[in-house]
Amino acid sequence: MKERRTRASRGVTRREFVKAGAGGAALLSTGIARPARGAPAVQSSGPKPLVISSGNGNRYKNGGDEVVVERAFRLMTEGKDILESLIAGVEITELDPGDASVGYGGRPNADGVVQLDSCCMHGPNRRAGGVAGLEGVRTPAAVAYQVLQVTDHHLLVGKGAQNFARNMGFEIEDDLNTPRSREMWLEWKRRIDPGHYLDPKKRAEAGHAAGLSMVRDGFMDEEEYYGTINCDGLNANGDLAGVTTTSGLAWKIPGRVGDSPILGAGLYVDNEVGAAGSTGRGEANLYGLCSFHIVEEMRRGAHPKDAAMTALSRVKDNTVEKRLLNSRGLPNFGLSFYVVNKAGEYAGVSMYTSERSTFALCTENGPESVAMEPFLEGSPSD
Ligand code: GLY
């Protein structure tokens, strides 16, 4: 695995302090910055450019020198188009086999085939593009960007998306599995019905239970189970853009599409207001189109953190099926949002957080990992 230590993982530096207003920041021994008790979780960086992403945006370098948010920020501040900068950034995780939730080496579906989803949205141009169920292309975000640029459409899926990518000059590969992603899929297969003769409902439950048992047994983080990177930027002109790219839910039913490529769910950008994107259980997000909801809350004046909390509250209220509730009657899954408004205020908010729950941020001070704000106390399995 090519994952390397990022600046954030090298211990405590000044840059790891959250700029949390007069309250400053308390720094825990994990090396992760957390807002000081009582300090506002929405951190105002003024109108300066910034890039925010899920935690993997400050984790992977694919053998290079930069993490995702760092590359995106550098390109953006050098004058490159804001969305092209973000797409060049997330390409690091798409190509890095160490990130088993995105692009090459992402989690395959139940048949062992890697199917990728992505969408992107350009604030100033009011344009968007997406692909879903795309096989054989390591960089689905770049294909989504081609959909935005050269078609009148929004979303291409499956074989059509692949044919489009081929026509646009993308290399089509037979198999995007790596030895690690194949090994994990085989472990999952061993844990479910080996004969595959369960009825569909039982099979879906068995598949989900096996996946969660692998999370519990330390094969992967829950973050990897649902996968995904979302990355949003604000440039010096006050323009906004965003991109989300993923291999989706690990070992999903072939053809399953989550929230990531769906505008308003996995991503939404309004250049006059802000941008929001997600990682986590896509089905829960789709039901509430939370990225759109968050941007609309910000339009009404809510801070990014409060807007995301409102969306998570809606998700909690909409979660009524017993199989999706823990022993406290609360959602038993993770869902996270990364939000920036036009003024440069930002937040990373999760249904639950753990010591490892961070989002990535890059400003003029460089890349850092910042603790997510939890909506609910405890953990999904409590
Ligand atoms: N949020 C990623 C997915 O559910 O596919």
Side-chain angles (χ1 to χ4, degrees), residues 126-365:
R126 273 78 169 169
R127 298 282 302 269
V131 289
L134 174 63
E135 297 176 15
V137 182
R138 295 186 184 203
T139 54
V143 183
Y145 187 53
Q146 287 298 310
V147 174
L148 176 155
Q149 279 195 304
V150 308
T151 80
D152 182 37
H153 309 310
H154 239 47
L155 181 61
L156 298 180
V157 306
K159 193 70 186 156
Q162 191 188 60
N163 289 343
F164 171 78
R166 182 184 290 107
N167 291 341
M168 291 295 111
F170 287 84
E171 184 187 352
I172 311 296
E173 298 178 64
D174 282 344
D175 187 2
L176 296 184
N177 277 290
T178 56
R180 181 171 174 241
S181 66
R182 193 183 314 285
E183 191 184 304
M184 298 281 270
W185 174 69
L186 286 169
E187 175 65 27
W188 176 79
K189 292 280 277 185
R190 279 193 283 274
R191 289 180 183 224
I192 63 168
D193 164 47
H196 261 41
Y197 293 120
L198 291 174
D199 73 49
K201 184 163 180 292
K202 282 187 182 156
R203 185 173 174 277
E205 281 170 7
H208 188 58
L212 293 181
S213 76
M214 288 176 66
V215 172
R216 278 196 304 277
D217 292 349
F219 281 84
M220 60 183 170
D221 287 343
E222 194 195 355
E223 201 176 283
E224 264 188 37
Y225 183 60
Y226 289 105
T228 313
I229 183 167
N230 163 249
C231 187
D232 310 297
L234 170 73
N235 70 13
N237 296 332
D239 287 329
L240 293 145
V243 58
T244 303
T245 174
T246 188
S247 56
L249 178 68
W251 316 301
K252 59 198 174 189
I253 291 175
R256 177 266 188 190
V257 172
D259 56 337
S260 301
I262 307 299
L263 293 177
L267 175 70
Y268 197 72
V269 180
D270 185 313
N271 208 47
E272 304 310 314
V273 179
S278 71
T279 60
R281 184 180 150 77
E283 282 74 6
N285 182 14
L286 278 162
Y287 196 74
L289 292 177
C290 294
S291 292
F292 181 74
H293 184 178
I294 290 167
V295 170
E296 290 306 296
E297 287 294 317
M298 291 196 289
R299 193 192 304 281
R300 287 190 277 272
H303 283 289
K305 178 195 166 192
D306 298 329
M309 291 286 184
T310 301
L312 285 167
S313 175
R314 175 84 57 90
V315 172
K316 179 177 95 51
D317 291 347
N318 279 333
T319 304
V320 295
E321 284 184 77
K322 204 163 175 245
R323 70 187 173 93
L324 297 173
L325 298 171
N326 62 20
S327 61
R328 295 182 291 154
L330 297 171
N332 62 10
F333 52 82
L335 182 60
S336 303
F337 296 103
Y338 315 91
V339 190
V340 57
N341 69 15
K342 200 165 174 70
E345 294 170 314
Y346 57 87
V349 181
S350 280
M351 186 70 83
Y352 300 92
T353 64
S354 67
E355 286 285 292
R356 293 199 66 233
S357 304
T358 59
F359 65 92
L361 179 73
C362 194
T363 63
E364 61 190 2
N365 297 323

Side-chain angles (χ1 to χ4, degrees), residues 17-25 35-36 38-45 346:
F17 283 85
V18 180
K19 294 164 201 66
V42 176
Q43 297 120 31
S44 176
S45 61
Y346 57 87

Side-chain angles (χ1 to χ4, degrees), residues 49-53 57 66-94 120-125 141-142 145 148-149 229-237 239-245 362:
L50 70 87
V51 174
I52 184 170
S53 86
E66 294 173 308
V67 292
V68 170
V69 291
E70 190 175 19
R71 181 192 279 179
F73 183 85
R74 177 178 58 77
L75 293 173
M76 194 175 86
T77 50
E78 285 172 1
K80 193 176 175 71
D81 175 83
I82 182 168
L83 182 54
E84 289 179 9
S85 302
L86 300 177
I87 289 170
V90 298
E91 196 171 277
I92 292 172
T93 52
E94 290 181 323
C120 60
M121 207 162 176
H122 196 287
N125 291 354
Y145 187 53
L148 176 155
Q149 279 195 304
I229 183 167
N230 163 249
C231 187
D232 310 297
L234 170 73
N235 70 13
N237 296 332
D239 287 329
L240 293 145
V243 58
T244 303
T245 174
C362 194

